[in-house]
Amino acid sequence: MKRKRLLFLLLFLVLLAMVGCNKEDSAEEKTDEQIAADYLQALGYTIIVHEGEAAKYTLEQERLETPDYMQLWAVQEEEPDAFFGKEIVSYQFTVRDHPLEQLYSPYDYTISVIVMLVDSEVIGGISGPVSKIKNLVMAGGEYSIDGKTLKEIKGMDYSQWLDYWAKKYGKRTE
């Protein structure tokens, strides 16, 4: 009799543990925005504002011929080829404790970061200072998600990179 009770109790505990694990698994399912936020926090940034979804599109060759997308991809570690035909979703945040705060005073600028994801995985992003007075993004090109320049990432100046881009993706835009 004691053996049956012990067996029943053991079986009950195993079932209880399995139910608990299933609840944990469903609680761990995160939205793309949560994944993006977690990524920024893992980089050491403090999120001040969640701006929400910034863009959602399927990457096609034609997009890479526009200046905005050229500059975006200029500061990514990976080339865009791997993402052709895939949906890219981007989320924007205002952050603190970002490397660009060394170049742009936090008294005058906030740092905006956009995180790009494909299939719920971060593939890159951009960052830049936004003037607190004029609420405008500073001119001078994009920075990578961690504040690096085109030269730091690709090892080329802008003119060299434009030539490379034109050969690879078919258009040079000044």
Side-chain angles (χ1 to χ4, degrees):
M1 186 75 162
K2 283 185 179 185
R3 187 174 259 184
K4 285 185 179 181
R5 282 187 184 173
L6 185 59
L7 185 59
F8 178 77
L9 181 60
L10 186 59
L11 183 60
F12 176 76
L13 290 175
V14 168
L15 288 173
L16 186 62
M18 288 172 54
V19 169
C21 288
N22 286 340
K23 287 183 180 178
E24 285 178 24
D25 289 346
S26 63
E28 287 182 23
E29 290 181 27
K30 296 182 180 182
T31 66
D32 282 350
E33 186 171 12
Q34 290 169 323
I35 292 167
D38 289 349
Y39 182 82
L40 293 178
Q41 291 169 333
L43 290 175
Y45 309 156
T46 302
I47 297 173
I48 306 303
V49 180
H50 288 250
E51 303 284 345
E53 188 177 297
K56 183 186 271 188
Y57 58 92
T58 299
L59 185 60
E60 297 172 358
Q61 171 74 32
E62 296 77 36
R63 262 188 214 278
L64 300 179
E65 296 174 359
T66 65
D68 288 343
Y69 287 94
M70 288 171 67
Q71 289 183 5
L72 168 74
W73 284 97
V75 292
Q76 302 310 309
E77 296 286 339
E78 287 193 59
E79 293 292 314
D81 308 57
F83 306 107
F84 282 139
K86 295 190 179 189
E87 184 176 74
I88 296 175
V89 62
S90 302
Y91 292 92
Q92 185 168 357
F93 302 86
T94 301
V95 300
R96 197 173 51 224
D97 305 319
H98 189 279
L100 288 179
E101 290 174 338
Q102 303 301 313
L103 298 173
Y104 300 95
S105 166
Y107 297 107
D108 298 323
Y109 300 94
T110 59
I111 304 301
S112 179
V113 177
I114 295 177
V115 181
M116 302 186 309
L117 298 99
V118 169
D119 298 328
S120 299
E121 290 188 30
V122 174
I123 63 164
I126 56 172
S127 60
V130 178
S131 171
K132 287 183 177 180
I133 298 168
K134 298 180 182 178
N135 201 30
L136 299 171
V137 175
M138 293 294 296
E142 304 285 355
Y143 292 93
S144 69
I145 200 164
D146 55 356
K148 292 180 182 172
T149 63
L150 165 74
K151 181 116 177 139
E152 292 171 307
I153 293 172
K154 306 288 186 188
M156 305 178 220
D157 65 28
Y158 189 66
S159 181
Q160 292 170 318
W161 179 80
L162 279 176
D163 288 338
Y164 161 79
W165 192 261
K167 288 175 188 164
K168 188 157 186 175
Y169 299 108
K171 187 171 183 181
R172 179 180 168 136
T173 304
E174 302 278 342

